[in-house]
Amino acid sequence: MAGMGILAACASWSLITAAARDGRPEGVLLAVLAVTAGYAAGRIGGALLPVGAPCAVALAGGVLAVAVP
């Protein structure tokens, strides 16, 4: 929850400062979006790893069972 609040504060701060100084906030907003995407991918990957690793091992075992006579 705190991380999402900090990301929202960063995005709003870049918009406020760009409006105050007649600037272009696209670079900062893209950086905030990249950090958010990395955070989300890490959370999703961390949640799926306990399920994905045994599935990958089972798939590799099945492929080896079929491939090796």
mmCIF file of all heavy atoms in Angstrom:
data_model
loop_
_atom_site.group_PDB
_atom_site.id
_atom_site.type_symbol
_atom_site.label_atom_id
_atom_site.label_comp_id
_atom_site.label_asym_id
_atom_site.label_seq_id
_atom_site.Cartn_x
_atom_site.Cartn_y
_atom_site.Cartn_z
ATOM 1 N N MET A 1 0.823 -1.186 0.000
ATOM 2 C CA MET A 1 0.000 0.000 0.000
ATOM 3 C C MET A 1 0.870 1.253 0.000
ATOM 4 O O MET A 1 0.575 2.206 -0.711
ATOM 5 C CB MET A 1 -0.906 -0.059 1.226
ATOM 6 C CG MET A 1 -2.008 0.920 1.206
ATOM 7 S SD MET A 1 -3.219 0.357 0.018
ATOM 8 C CE MET A 1 -4.521 1.441 0.404
ATOM 9 N N ALA A 2 1.921 1.228 0.796
ATOM 10 C CA ALA A 2 2.804 2.394 0.861
ATOM 11 C C ALA A 2 3.526 2.604 -0.468
ATOM 12 O O ALA A 2 3.716 3.751 -0.903
ATOM 13 C CB ALA A 2 3.810 2.219 1.988
ATOM 14 N N GLY A 3 3.909 1.512 -1.126
ATOM 15 C CA GLY A 3 4.594 1.632 -2.412
ATOM 16 C C GLY A 3 3.723 2.269 -3.477
ATOM 17 O O GLY A 3 4.186 3.095 -4.272
ATOM 18 N N MET A 4 2.459 1.881 -3.499
ATOM 19 C CA MET A 4 1.548 2.481 -4.478
ATOM 20 C C MET A 4 1.323 3.961 -4.181
ATOM 21 O O MET A 4 1.204 4.770 -5.099
ATOM 22 C CB MET A 4 0.219 1.725 -4.487
ATOM 23 C CG MET A 4 0.353 0.286 -4.947
ATOM 24 S SD MET A 4 1.155 0.115 -6.557
ATOM 25 C CE MET A 4 -0.096 0.783 -7.604
ATOM 26 N N GLY A 5 1.281 4.320 -2.911
ATOM 27 C CA GLY A 5 1.136 5.727 -2.547
ATOM 28 C C GLY A 5 2.341 6.547 -2.972
ATOM 29 O O GLY A 5 2.200 7.685 -3.460
ATOM 30 N N ILE A 6 3.530 5.976 -2.810
ATOM 31 C CA ILE A 6 4.741 6.679 -3.229
ATOM 32 C C ILE A 6 4.778 6.846 -4.741
ATOM 33 O O ILE A 6 5.147 7.911 -5.256
ATOM 34 C CB ILE A 6 5.985 5.926 -2.724
ATOM 35 C CG1 ILE A 6 6.068 6.039 -1.205
ATOM 36 C CG2 ILE A 6 7.254 6.461 -3.361
ATOM 37 C CD1 ILE A 6 7.103 5.153 -0.581
ATOM 38 N N LEU A 7 4.392 5.806 -5.490
ATOM 39 C CA LEU A 7 4.359 5.921 -6.952
ATOM 40 C C LEU A 7 3.351 6.967 -7.410
ATOM 41 O O LEU A 7 3.611 7.742 -8.336
ATOM 42 C CB LEU A 7 4.043 4.567 -7.572
ATOM 43 C CG LEU A 7 5.160 3.545 -7.505
ATOM 44 C CD1 LEU A 7 4.669 2.198 -8.002
ATOM 45 C CD2 LEU A 7 6.344 3.995 -8.320
ATOM 46 N N ALA A 8 2.195 7.015 -6.756
ATOM 47 C CA ALA A 8 1.200 8.030 -7.101
ATOM 48 C C ALA A 8 1.710 9.427 -6.773
ATOM 49 O O ALA A 8 1.484 10.378 -7.539
ATOM 50 C CB ALA A 8 -0.105 7.751 -6.353
ATOM 51 N N ALA A 9 2.428 9.554 -5.668
ATOM 52 C CA ALA A 9 2.990 10.860 -5.305
ATOM 53 C C ALA A 9 4.047 11.298 -6.318
ATOM 54 O O ALA A 9 4.099 12.474 -6.692
ATOM 55 C CB ALA A 9 3.587 10.797 -3.906
ATOM 56 N N CYS A 10 4.870 10.373 -6.781
ATOM 57 C CA CYS A 10 5.878 10.713 -7.789
ATOM 58 C C CYS A 10 5.229 11.162 -9.092
ATOM 59 O O CYS A 10 5.665 12.134 -9.724
ATOM 60 C CB CYS A 10 6.778 9.511 -8.056
ATOM 61 S SG CYS A 10 7.865 9.101 -6.697
ATOM 62 N N ALA A 11 4.197 10.448 -9.516
ATOM 63 C CA ALA A 11 3.514 10.813 -10.763
ATOM 64 C C ALA A 11 2.841 12.170 -10.638
ATOM 65 O O ALA A 11 2.935 13.014 -11.543
ATOM 66 C CB ALA A 11 2.494 9.749 -11.126
ATOM 67 N N SER A 12 2.180 12.407 -9.527
ATOM 68 C CA SER A 12 1.503 13.705 -9.365
ATOM 69 C C SER A 12 2.517 14.834 -9.214
ATOM 70 O O SER A 12 2.299 15.938 -9.728
ATOM 71 C CB SER A 12 0.545 13.654 -8.178
ATOM 72 O OG SER A 12 1.257 13.392 -6.991
ATOM 73 N N TRP A 13 3.640 14.585 -8.551
ATOM 74 C CA TRP A 13 4.651 15.633 -8.399
ATOM 75 C C TRP A 13 5.236 16.026 -9.756
ATOM 76 O O TRP A 13 5.454 17.203 -10.021
ATOM 77 C CB TRP A 13 5.756 15.155 -7.464
ATOM 78 C CG TRP A 13 6.815 16.196 -7.269
ATOM 79 C CD1 TRP A 13 8.077 16.192 -7.783
ATOM 80 C CD2 TRP A 13 6.697 17.406 -6.520
ATOM 81 N NE1 TRP A 13 8.746 17.310 -7.397
ATOM 82 C CE2 TRP A 13 7.920 18.078 -6.612
ATOM 83 C CE3 TRP A 13 5.665 17.975 -5.777
ATOM 84 C CZ2 TRP A 13 8.143 19.302 -6.003
ATOM 85 C CZ3 TRP A 13 5.896 19.198 -5.163
ATOM 86 C CH2 TRP A 13 7.122 19.840 -5.270
ATOM 87 N N SER A 14 5.473 15.047 -10.627
ATOM 88 C CA SER A 14 6.006 15.392 -11.949
ATOM 89 C C SER A 14 4.996 16.195 -12.754
ATOM 90 O O SER A 14 5.374 17.117 -13.490
ATOM 91 C CB SER A 14 6.420 14.134 -12.697
ATOM 92 O OG SER A 14 5.290 13.349 -13.007
ATOM 93 N N LEU A 15 3.714 15.889 -12.615
ATOM 94 C CA LEU A 15 2.698 16.671 -13.326
ATOM 95 C C LEU A 15 2.590 18.090 -12.764
ATOM 96 O O LEU A 15 2.444 19.057 -13.514
ATOM 97 C CB LEU A 15 1.342 15.965 -13.241
ATOM 98 C CG LEU A 15 1.219 14.687 -14.054
ATOM 99 C CD1 LEU A 15 -0.112 14.009 -13.762
ATOM 100 C CD2 LEU A 15 1.355 14.970 -15.533
ATOM 101 N N ILE A 16 2.669 18.216 -11.441
ATOM 102 C CA ILE A 16 2.565 19.539 -10.817
ATOM 103 C C ILE A 16 3.756 20.414 -11.206
ATOM 104 O O ILE A 16 3.588 21.583 -11.580
ATOM 105 C CB ILE A 16 2.466 19.390 -9.281
ATOM 106 C CG1 ILE A 16 1.119 18.794 -8.910
ATOM 107 C CG2 ILE A 16 2.668 20.732 -8.582
ATOM 108 C CD1 ILE A 16 1.021 18.346 -7.462
ATOM 109 N N THR A 17 4.957 19.872 -11.126
ATOM 110 C CA THR A 17 6.127 20.681 -11.468
ATOM 111 C C THR A 17 6.170 21.013 -12.955
ATOM 112 O O THR A 17 6.627 22.091 -13.336
ATOM 113 C CB THR A 17 7.422 19.970 -11.058
ATOM 114 O OG1 THR A 17 7.468 18.681 -11.667
ATOM 115 C CG2 THR A 17 7.511 19.831 -9.553
ATOM 116 N N ALA A 18 5.699 20.111 -13.805
ATOM 117 C CA ALA A 18 5.667 20.407 -15.240
ATOM 118 C C ALA A 18 4.652 21.508 -15.535
ATOM 119 O O ALA A 18 4.884 22.360 -16.385
ATOM 120 C CB ALA A 18 5.338 19.159 -16.031
ATOM 121 N N ALA A 19 3.527 21.507 -14.837
ATOM 122 C CA ALA A 19 2.523 22.547 -15.051
ATOM 123 C C ALA A 19 3.003 23.894 -14.524
ATOM 124 O O ALA A 19 2.707 24.938 -15.105
ATOM 125 C CB ALA A 19 1.219 22.158 -14.369
ATOM 126 N N ALA A 20 3.755 23.872 -13.442
ATOM 127 C CA ALA A 20 4.226 25.123 -12.852
ATOM 128 C C ALA A 20 5.325 25.768 -13.688
ATOM 129 O O ALA A 20 5.425 26.991 -13.747
ATOM 130 C CB ALA A 20 4.734 24.870 -11.442
ATOM 131 N N ARG A 21 6.147 24.974 -14.345
ATOM 132 C CA ARG A 21 7.278 25.518 -15.091
ATOM 133 C C ARG A 21 7.120 25.393 -16.598
ATOM 134 O O ARG A 21 8.081 25.570 -17.326
ATOM 135 C CB ARG A 21 8.552 24.799 -14.675
ATOM 136 C CG ARG A 21 8.980 25.118 -13.285
ATOM 137 C CD ARG A 21 10.453 24.849 -13.166
ATOM 138 N NE ARG A 21 10.702 23.938 -12.055
ATOM 139 C CZ ARG A 21 11.702 23.100 -11.994
ATOM 140 N NH1 ARG A 21 12.530 22.998 -12.985
ATOM 141 N NH2 ARG A 21 11.878 22.338 -10.941
ATOM 142 N N ASP A 22 5.967 25.018 -17.059
ATOM 143 C CA ASP A 22 5.718 24.855 -18.499
ATOM 144 C C ASP A 22 6.671 23.815 -19.101
ATOM 145 O O ASP A 22 7.268 24.019 -20.148
ATOM 146 C CB ASP A 22 5.848 26.198 -19.215
ATOM 147 C CG ASP A 22 5.078 26.220 -20.518
ATOM 148 O OD1 ASP A 22 4.097 25.456 -20.624
ATOM 149 O OD2 ASP A 22 5.444 27.003 -21.419
ATOM 150 N N GLY A 23 6.817 22.683 -18.400
ATOM 151 C CA GLY A 23 7.737 21.637 -18.838
ATOM 152 C C GLY A 23 7.018 20.467 -19.480
ATOM 153 O O GLY A 23 5.818 20.508 -19.749
ATOM 154 N N ARG A 24 7.794 19.428 -19.733
ATOM 155 C CA ARG A 24 7.253 18.229 -20.352
ATOM 156 C C ARG A 24 7.510 17.049 -19.420
ATOM 157 O O ARG A 24 8.649 16.622 -19.269
ATOM 158 C CB ARG A 24 7.927 17.995 -21.691
ATOM 159 C CG ARG A 24 7.656 19.133 -22.664
ATOM 160 C CD ARG A 24 8.435 18.945 -23.949
ATOM 161 N NE ARG A 24 8.186 17.644 -24.538
ATOM 162 C CZ ARG A 24 7.465 17.443 -25.626
ATOM 163 N NH1 ARG A 24 6.940 18.454 -26.240
ATOM 164 N NH2 ARG A 24 7.300 16.229 -26.103
ATOM 165 N N PRO A 25 6.465 16.477 -18.818
ATOM 166 C CA PRO A 25 6.656 15.422 -17.813
ATOM 167 C C PRO A 25 6.711 14.005 -18.373
ATOM 168 O O PRO A 25 6.699 13.052 -17.620
ATOM 169 C CB PRO A 25 5.420 15.588 -16.935
ATOM 170 C CG PRO A 25 4.359 16.001 -17.901
ATOM 171 C CD PRO A 25 5.080 16.926 -18.873
ATOM 172 N N GLU A 26 6.804 13.853 -19.692
ATOM 173 C CA GLU A 26 6.686 12.511 -20.272
ATOM 174 C C GLU A 26 7.786 11.570 -19.792
ATOM 175 O O GLU A 26 7.533 10.400 -19.523
ATOM 176 C CB GLU A 26 6.716 12.581 -21.804
ATOM 177 C CG GLU A 26 5.495 13.201 -22.424
ATOM 178 C CD GLU A 26 5.620 14.701 -22.542
ATOM 179 O OE1 GLU A 26 6.696 15.241 -22.247
ATOM 180 O OE2 GLU A 26 4.623 15.338 -22.912
ATOM 181 N N GLY A 27 9.012 12.063 -19.692
ATOM 182 C CA GLY A 27 10.113 11.204 -19.274
ATOM 183 C C GLY A 27 9.934 10.690 -17.862
ATOM 184 O O GLY A 27 10.148 9.511 -17.585
ATOM 185 N N VAL A 28 9.536 11.568 -16.964
ATOM 186 C CA VAL A 28 9.345 11.154 -15.576
ATOM 187 C C VAL A 28 8.157 10.208 -15.469
ATOM 188 O O VAL A 28 8.216 9.213 -14.747
ATOM 189 C CB VAL A 28 9.156 12.393 -14.671
ATOM 190 C CG1 VAL A 28 8.849 11.986 -13.249
ATOM 191 C CG2 VAL A 28 10.386 13.269 -14.717
ATOM 192 N N LEU A 29 7.096 10.490 -16.193
ATOM 193 C CA LEU A 29 5.929 9.604 -16.138
ATOM 194 C C LEU A 29 6.248 8.228 -16.714
ATOM 195 O O LEU A 29 5.767 7.212 -16.204
ATOM 196 C CB LEU A 29 4.755 10.244 -16.871
ATOM 197 C CG LEU A 29 4.140 11.454 -16.168
ATOM 198 C CD1 LEU A 29 3.055 12.064 -17.043
ATOM 199 C CD2 LEU A 29 3.586 11.082 -14.824
ATOM 200 N N LEU A 30 7.067 8.182 -17.758
ATOM 201 C CA LEU A 30 7.470 6.883 -18.298
ATOM 202 C C LEU A 30 8.350 6.122 -17.309
ATOM 203 O O LEU A 30 8.251 4.899 -17.196
ATOM 204 C CB LEU A 30 8.203 7.068 -19.624
ATOM 205 C CG LEU A 30 7.310 7.381 -20.818
ATOM 206 C CD1 LEU A 30 8.163 7.677 -22.039
ATOM 207 C CD2 LEU A 30 6.363 6.245 -21.091
ATOM 208 N N ALA A 31 9.193 6.849 -16.578
ATOM 209 C CA ALA A 31 10.015 6.192 -15.563
ATOM 210 C C ALA A 31 9.145 5.627 -14.448
ATOM 211 O O ALA A 31 9.371 4.511 -13.974
ATOM 212 C CB ALA A 31 11.034 7.177 -15.005
ATOM 213 N N VAL A 32 8.143 6.388 -14.031
ATOM 214 C CA VAL A 32 7.227 5.898 -12.995
ATOM 215 C C VAL A 32 6.457 4.685 -13.507
ATOM 216 O O VAL A 32 6.268 3.703 -12.782
ATOM 217 C CB VAL A 32 6.267 7.026 -12.547
ATOM 218 C CG1 VAL A 32 5.159 6.490 -11.662
ATOM 219 C CG2 VAL A 32 7.034 8.111 -11.819
ATOM 220 N N LEU A 33 6.046 4.723 -14.764
ATOM 221 C CA LEU A 33 5.350 3.578 -15.353
ATOM 222 C C LEU A 33 6.259 2.349 -15.420
ATOM 223 O O LEU A 33 5.820 1.234 -15.154
ATOM 224 C CB LEU A 33 4.843 3.938 -16.752
ATOM 225 C CG LEU A 33 4.101 2.854 -17.501
ATOM 226 C CD1 LEU A 33 2.815 2.488 -16.766
ATOM 227 C CD2 LEU A 33 3.798 3.300 -18.908
ATOM 228 N N ALA A 34 7.536 2.546 -15.753
ATOM 229 C CA ALA A 34 8.473 1.429 -15.807
ATOM 230 C C ALA A 34 8.696 0.816 -14.427
ATOM 231 O O ALA A 34 8.744 -0.409 -14.281
ATOM 232 C CB ALA A 34 9.803 1.889 -16.398
ATOM 233 N N VAL A 35 8.804 1.665 -13.409
ATOM 234 C CA VAL A 35 8.970 1.145 -12.051
ATOM 235 C C VAL A 35 7.727 0.380 -11.624
ATOM 236 O O VAL A 35 7.811 -0.691 -11.013
ATOM 237 C CB VAL A 35 9.282 2.301 -11.074
ATOM 238 C CG1 VAL A 35 9.179 1.862 -9.632
ATOM 239 C CG2 VAL A 35 10.657 2.861 -11.357
ATOM 240 N N THR A 36 6.563 0.909 -11.958
ATOM 241 C CA THR A 36 5.310 0.240 -11.612
ATOM 242 C C THR A 36 5.196 -1.106 -12.322
ATOM 243 O O THR A 36 4.774 -2.103 -11.718
ATOM 244 C CB THR A 36 4.116 1.133 -11.977
ATOM 245 O OG1 THR A 36 4.280 2.401 -11.350
ATOM 246 C CG2 THR A 36 2.813 0.526 -11.553
ATOM 247 N N ALA A 37 5.570 -1.153 -13.586
ATOM 248 C CA ALA A 37 5.510 -2.413 -14.328
ATOM 249 C C ALA A 37 6.493 -3.432 -13.754
ATOM 250 O O ALA A 37 6.167 -4.622 -13.643
ATOM 251 C CB ALA A 37 5.816 -2.162 -15.797
ATOM 252 N N GLY A 38 7.670 -2.996 -13.383
ATOM 253 C CA GLY A 38 8.625 -3.904 -12.761
ATOM 254 C C GLY A 38 8.136 -4.433 -11.425
ATOM 255 O O GLY A 38 8.307 -5.607 -11.101
ATOM 256 N N TYR A 39 7.519 -3.558 -10.659
ATOM 257 C CA TYR A 39 6.964 -3.966 -9.361
ATOM 258 C C TYR A 39 5.857 -5.004 -9.560
ATOM 259 O O TYR A 39 5.825 -6.031 -8.887
ATOM 260 C CB TYR A 39 6.426 -2.734 -8.642
ATOM 261 C CG TYR A 39 5.730 -3.021 -7.342
ATOM 262 C CD1 TYR A 39 6.452 -3.324 -6.200
ATOM 263 C CD2 TYR A 39 4.342 -2.991 -7.252
ATOM 264 C CE1 TYR A 39 5.817 -3.592 -5.004
ATOM 265 C CE2 TYR A 39 3.696 -3.254 -6.062
ATOM 266 C CZ TYR A 39 4.441 -3.555 -4.937
ATOM 267 O OH TYR A 39 3.806 -3.818 -3.770
ATOM 268 N N ALA A 40 4.967 -4.745 -10.507
ATOM 269 C CA ALA A 40 3.867 -5.672 -10.770
ATOM 270 C C ALA A 40 4.382 -7.011 -11.301
ATOM 271 O O ALA A 40 3.901 -8.073 -10.894
ATOM 272 C CB ALA A 40 2.881 -5.053 -11.755
ATOM 273 N N ALA A 41 5.373 -6.964 -12.190
ATOM 274 C CA ALA A 41 5.926 -8.211 -12.720
ATOM 275 C C ALA A 41 6.612 -9.017 -11.624
ATOM 276 O O ALA A 41 6.512 -10.252 -11.597
ATOM 277 C CB ALA A 41 6.908 -7.903 -13.846
ATOM 278 N N GLY A 42 7.281 -8.345 -10.714
ATOM 279 C CA GLY A 42 7.911 -9.038 -9.600
ATOM 280 C C GLY A 42 6.896 -9.684 -8.674
ATOM 281 O O GLY A 42 7.086 -10.804 -8.210
ATOM 282 N N ARG A 43 5.818 -8.968 -8.413
ATOM 283 C CA ARG A 43 4.777 -9.534 -7.550
ATOM 284 C C ARG A 43 4.116 -10.738 -8.206
ATOM 285 O O ARG A 43 3.868 -11.757 -7.564
ATOM 286 C CB ARG A 43 3.715 -8.467 -7.245
ATOM 287 C CG ARG A 43 4.187 -7.301 -6.449
ATOM 288 C CD ARG A 43 4.312 -7.636 -5.011
ATOM 289 N NE ARG A 43 3.026 -8.060 -4.492
ATOM 290 C CZ ARG A 43 2.668 -7.952 -3.245
ATOM 291 N NH1 ARG A 43 3.485 -7.415 -2.388
ATOM 292 N NH2 ARG A 43 1.502 -8.378 -2.841
ATOM 293 N N ILE A 44 3.815 -10.635 -9.500
ATOM 294 C CA ILE A 44 3.172 -11.741 -10.213
ATOM 295 C C ILE A 44 4.127 -12.928 -10.320
ATOM 296 O O ILE A 44 3.745 -14.078 -10.089
ATOM 297 C CB ILE A 44 2.699 -11.275 -11.603
ATOM 298 C CG1 ILE A 44 1.552 -10.283 -11.450
ATOM 299 C CG2 ILE A 44 2.275 -12.458 -12.462
ATOM 300 C CD1 ILE A 44 1.182 -9.571 -12.731
ATOM 301 N N GLY A 45 5.388 -12.659 -10.650
ATOM 302 C CA GLY A 45 6.364 -13.733 -10.748
ATOM 303 C C GLY A 45 6.591 -14.425 -9.417
ATOM 304 O O GLY A 45 6.728 -15.647 -9.346
ATOM 305 N N GLY A 46 6.628 -13.649 -8.348
ATOM 306 C CA GLY A 46 6.803 -14.233 -7.029
ATOM 307 C C GLY A 46 5.623 -15.083 -6.604
ATOM 308 O O GLY A 46 5.773 -16.074 -5.891
ATOM 309 N N ALA A 47 4.438 -14.703 -7.050
ATOM 310 C CA ALA A 47 3.254 -15.486 -6.709
ATOM 311 C C ALA A 47 3.168 -16.770 -7.541
ATOM 312 O O ALA A 47 2.662 -17.787 -7.071
ATOM 313 C CB ALA A 47 1.994 -14.656 -6.912
ATOM 314 N N LEU A 48 3.665 -16.725 -8.768
ATOM 315 C CA LEU A 48 3.555 -17.890 -9.644
ATOM 316 C C LEU A 48 4.737 -18.843 -9.544
ATOM 317 O O LEU A 48 4.643 -19.984 -10.003
ATOM 318 C CB LEU A 48 3.404 -17.433 -11.096
ATOM 319 C CG LEU A 48 2.116 -16.688 -11.433
ATOM 320 C CD1 LEU A 48 2.115 -16.290 -12.895
ATOM 321 C CD2 LEU A 48 0.908 -17.533 -11.117
ATOM 322 N N LEU A 49 5.848 -18.419 -8.964
ATOM 323 C CA LEU A 49 7.038 -19.262 -8.911
ATOM 324 C C LEU A 49 6.815 -20.563 -8.152
ATOM 325 O O LEU A 49 7.260 -21.617 -8.622
ATOM 326 C CB LEU A 49 8.206 -18.480 -8.308
ATOM 327 C CG LEU A 49 9.550 -19.200 -8.304
ATOM 328 C CD1 LEU A 49 9.987 -19.490 -9.730
ATOM 329 C CD2 LEU A 49 10.592 -18.377 -7.591
ATOM 330 N N PRO A 50 6.128 -20.565 -7.009
ATOM 331 C CA PRO A 50 5.921 -21.849 -6.321
ATOM 332 C C PRO A 50 5.115 -22.857 -7.134
ATOM 333 O O PRO A 50 5.225 -24.059 -6.917
ATOM 334 C CB PRO A 50 5.162 -21.456 -5.056
ATOM 335 C CG PRO A 50 5.492 -20.038 -4.829
ATOM 336 C CD PRO A 50 5.678 -19.451 -6.192
ATOM 337 N N VAL A 51 4.307 -22.390 -8.057
ATOM 338 C CA VAL A 51 3.527 -23.292 -8.902
ATOM 339 C C VAL A 51 4.270 -23.584 -10.192
ATOM 340 O O VAL A 51 4.248 -24.709 -10.702
ATOM 341 C CB VAL A 51 2.144 -22.669 -9.211
ATOM 342 C CG1 VAL A 51 1.365 -23.519 -10.182
ATOM 343 C CG2 VAL A 51 1.369 -22.452 -7.933
ATOM 344 N N GLY A 52 4.944 -22.582 -10.731
ATOM 345 C CA GLY A 52 5.606 -22.727 -12.026
ATOM 346 C C GLY A 52 6.817 -23.630 -12.013
ATOM 347 O O GLY A 52 7.081 -24.356 -12.972
ATOM 348 N N ALA A 53 7.599 -23.600 -10.937
ATOM 349 C CA ALA A 53 8.812 -24.422 -10.880
ATOM 350 C C ALA A 53 8.497 -25.917 -10.908
ATOM 351 O O ALA A 53 9.097 -26.649 -11.714
ATOM 352 C CB ALA A 53 9.633 -24.046 -9.645
ATOM 353 N N PRO A 54 7.580 -26.441 -10.094
ATOM 354 C CA PRO A 54 7.259 -27.874 -10.206
ATOM 355 C C PRO A 54 6.648 -28.242 -11.554
ATOM 356 O O PRO A 54 6.897 -29.336 -12.081
ATOM 357 C CB PRO A 54 6.252 -28.111 -9.074
ATOM 358 C CG PRO A 54 6.486 -27.019 -8.108
ATOM 359 C CD PRO A 54 6.927 -25.853 -8.921
ATOM 360 N N CYS A 55 5.871 -27.337 -12.135
ATOM 361 C CA CYS A 55 5.297 -27.618 -13.465
ATOM 362 C C CYS A 55 6.391 -27.711 -14.517
ATOM 363 O O CYS A 55 6.337 -28.577 -15.405
ATOM 364 C CB CYS A 55 4.290 -26.548 -13.842
ATOM 365 S SG CYS A 55 2.767 -26.626 -12.902
ATOM 366 N N ALA A 56 7.392 -26.842 -14.434
ATOM 367 C CA ALA A 56 8.490 -26.891 -15.392
ATOM 368 C C ALA A 56 9.302 -28.169 -15.238
ATOM 369 O O ALA A 56 9.709 -28.789 -16.226
ATOM 370 C CB ALA A 56 9.383 -25.661 -15.216
ATOM 371 N N VAL A 57 9.532 -28.592 -13.990
ATOM 372 C CA VAL A 57 10.259 -29.837 -13.754
ATOM 373 C C VAL A 57 9.461 -31.028 -14.275
ATOM 374 O O VAL A 57 10.017 -31.942 -14.893
ATOM 375 C CB VAL A 57 10.576 -29.990 -12.248
ATOM 376 C CG1 VAL A 57 11.129 -31.366 -11.944
ATOM 377 C CG2 VAL A 57 11.552 -28.912 -11.812
ATOM 378 N N ALA A 58 8.154 -31.037 -14.058
ATOM 379 C CA ALA A 58 7.319 -32.127 -14.555
ATOM 380 C C ALA A 58 7.301 -32.156 -16.081
ATOM 381 O O ALA A 58 7.361 -33.231 -16.692
ATOM 382 C CB ALA A 58 5.901 -31.987 -14.015
ATOM 383 N N LEU A 59 7.243 -30.991 -16.707
ATOM 384 C CA LEU A 59 7.264 -30.924 -18.164
ATOM 385 C C LEU A 59 8.601 -31.418 -18.706
ATOM 386 O O LEU A 59 8.636 -32.176 -19.695
ATOM 387 C CB LEU A 59 6.984 -29.489 -18.626
ATOM 388 C CG LEU A 59 6.959 -29.269 -20.128
ATOM 389 C CD1 LEU A 59 5.781 -30.029 -20.746
ATOM 390 C CD2 LEU A 59 6.839 -27.791 -20.435
ATOM 391 N N ALA A 60 9.690 -31.021 -18.063
ATOM 392 C CA ALA A 60 11.016 -31.493 -18.504
ATOM 393 C C ALA A 60 11.137 -32.991 -18.329
ATOM 394 O O ALA A 60 11.696 -33.687 -19.188
ATOM 395 C CB ALA A 60 12.099 -30.771 -17.710
ATOM 396 N N GLY A 61 10.601 -33.526 -17.244
ATOM 397 C CA GLY A 61 10.618 -34.984 -17.049
ATOM 398 C C GLY A 61 9.800 -35.703 -18.099
ATOM 399 O O GLY A 61 10.192 -36.767 -18.597
ATOM 400 N N GLY A 62 8.664 -35.155 -18.462
ATOM 401 C CA GLY A 62 7.842 -35.753 -19.532
ATOM 402 C C GLY A 62 8.533 -35.729 -20.863
ATOM 403 O O GLY A 62 8.483 -36.708 -21.624
ATOM 404 N N VAL A 63 9.194 -34.625 -21.175
ATOM 405 C CA VAL A 63 9.919 -34.531 -22.444
ATOM 406 C C VAL A 63 11.067 -35.535 -22.467
ATOM 407 O O VAL A 63 11.308 -36.203 -23.479
ATOM 408 C CB VAL A 63 10.437 -33.080 -22.660
ATOM 409 C CG1 VAL A 63 11.428 -33.009 -23.791
ATOM 410 C CG2 VAL A 63 9.259 -32.154 -22.905
ATOM 411 N N LEU A 64 11.779 -35.656 -21.354
ATOM 412 C CA LEU A 64 12.874 -36.635 -21.296
ATOM 413 C C LEU A 64 12.355 -38.071 -21.415
ATOM 414 O O LEU A 64 12.996 -38.910 -22.034
ATOM 415 C CB LEU A 64 13.665 -36.460 -20.007
ATOM 416 C CG LEU A 64 14.605 -35.261 -19.954
ATOM 417 C CD1 LEU A 64 15.228 -35.133 -18.577
ATOM 418 C CD2 LEU A 64 15.689 -35.384 -21.018
ATOM 419 N N ALA A 65 11.211 -38.351 -20.816
ATOM 420 C CA ALA A 65 10.646 -39.691 -20.888
ATOM 421 C C ALA A 65 10.257 -40.058 -22.313
ATOM 422 O O ALA A 65 10.393 -41.211 -22.737
ATOM 423 C CB ALA A 65 9.452 -39.813 -19.971
ATOM 424 N N VAL A 66 9.785 -39.083 -23.058
ATOM 425 C CA VAL A 66 9.385 -39.338 -24.450
ATOM 426 C C VAL A 66 10.604 -39.343 -25.378
ATOM 427 O O VAL A 66 10.699 -40.169 -26.294
ATOM 428 C CB VAL A 66 8.353 -38.273 -24.914
ATOM 429 C CG1 VAL A 66 8.090 -38.373 -26.398
ATOM 430 C CG2 VAL A 66 7.071 -38.427 -24.116
ATOM 431 N N ALA A 67 11.562 -38.459 -25.126
ATOM 432 C CA ALA A 67 12.693 -38.303 -26.036
ATOM 433 C C ALA A 67 13.727 -39.408 -25.897
ATOM 434 O O ALA A 67 14.318 -39.852 -26.887
ATOM 435 C CB ALA A 67 13.358 -36.941 -25.811
ATOM 436 N N VAL A 68 13.960 -39.887 -24.677
ATOM 437 C CA VAL A 68 14.996 -40.904 -24.456
ATOM 438 C C VAL A 68 14.337 -42.295 -24.530
ATOM 439 O O VAL A 68 13.402 -42.552 -23.782
ATOM 440 C CB VAL A 68 15.666 -40.684 -23.077
ATOM 441 C CG1 VAL A 68 16.673 -41.783 -22.797
ATOM 442 C CG2 VAL A 68 16.326 -39.326 -23.021
ATOM 443 N N PRO A 69 14.845 -43.146 -25.420
ATOM 444 C CA PRO A 69 14.236 -44.477 -25.544
ATOM 445 C C PRO A 69 14.514 -45.395 -24.359
ATOM 446 O O PRO A 69 15.433 -45.274 -23.643
ATOM 447 C CB PRO A 69 14.845 -45.049 -26.814
ATOM 448 C CG PRO A 69 16.035 -44.230 -27.125
ATOM 449 C CD PRO A 69 15.884 -42.949 -26.380
#
